[in-house]
Amino acid sequence: MTDCIFCKIINREIPSYKVYEDDEVYAFLDITQTTKGHTLVIPKQHVTDIFEYDDVLAAKLFSRIPKISRGLEKAFPDMKGLNLINNNKELAYQSVFHSHVHLIPRYSKDDDFSITFKNNGDNYTPETMSQIASTIKEVIDHE
Ligand code: 5GP
Ligand code: ZN
């Protein structure tokens, strides 16, 4: 895609700090370095977000993530954890519309990074949970 910043990075029109590349996947340092080694993993094929992947492209991208994660772990022995983040659409904080997975190494509780999951479980009865699950399952089963 011509006006996509990540396609330009793949095509070397914009420089990047590459950490991994093969025929299908490219990985490079996120410019913000939320923590040391913060890496973005992207498919070379331009897809906007998770909703555009087919099974083959998903397998290609996600199969590389354990290898790159282990690379980070070995490169930085002080790394104590890793968050994988994939934002999809603006509401969910996506700002570059070429799909990517963030690998964010964690070194301590004081890393300048946090995710919180509010527990709203008390607002859902078992019946509602069951209904939500079957609504989703029904759609997936007919895909
Ligand atoms: P998003 O907000 O879409 O989940 O993440 C986009 C990420 O792309 C941001 O963390 C941002 O720092 C990174 N980014 C945006 N432009 C560039 C760039 O030109 N080079 C690199 N290396 N990262 C970029
Ligand atoms: Zn692109």
Side-chain angles (χ1 to χ4, degrees):
M1 207 193 202
T2 48
D3 62 348
C4 170
I5 197 168
F6 286 178
C7 284
K8 285 182 178 162
I9 283 176
I10 293 163
N11 295 330
R12 312 305 200 265
E13 292 165 45
I14 293 177
S16 69
Y17 297 96
K18 179 171 86 174
V19 304
Y20 176 80
E21 181 174 20
D22 62 34
D23 289 347
E24 319 284 351
V25 171
Y26 191 84
F28 59 106
L29 295 183
D30 190 298
I31 204 78
T32 57
Q33 288 299 282
T34 295
T35 61
K36 181 181 61 183
H38 178 184
T39 294
L40 299 174
V41 184
I42 63 177
K44 286 190 171 176
Q45 181 184 330
H46 179 96
V47 285
T48 304
D49 54 38
I50 196 72
F51 305 105
E52 282 188 7
Y53 284 76
D54 61 20
D55 291 359
V56 173
L57 187 62
K60 284 174 185 163
L61 185 83
F62 288 96
S63 68
R64 271 51 160 203
I65 288 179
K67 181 189 183 80
I68 300 167
S69 300
R70 285 190 293 269
L72 288 167
E73 192 180 38
K74 283 197 180 131
F76 305 117
D78 53 338
M79 183 180 128
K80 298 200 173 60
L82 180 73
N83 288 104
L84 301 183
I85 310 282
N86 169 233
N87 297 328
N88 296 282
K89 304 206 184 284
E90 205 171 345
L91 180 72
Y93 311 125
Q94 186 175 5
S95 63
V96 175
F97 295 92
H98 179 132
S99 179
H100 50 278
V101 177
H102 294 258
L103 274 57
I104 304 180
R106 300 297 304 277
Y107 300 95
S108 88
K109 285 183 179 167
D110 299 326
D111 289 336
D112 195 11
F113 176 80
S114 72
I115 320 176
T116 52
F117 293 97
K118 192 174 171 215
N119 184 351
N120 291 316
D122 287 348
N123 299 336
Y124 292 79
T125 62
E127 292 73 28
T128 309
M129 294 290 267
S130 178
Q131 195 184 16
I132 292 169
S134 59
T135 301
I136 300 165
K137 184 173 181 301
E138 183 84 356
V139 177
I140 295 171
D141 288 348
H142 290 94
E143 262 224 321

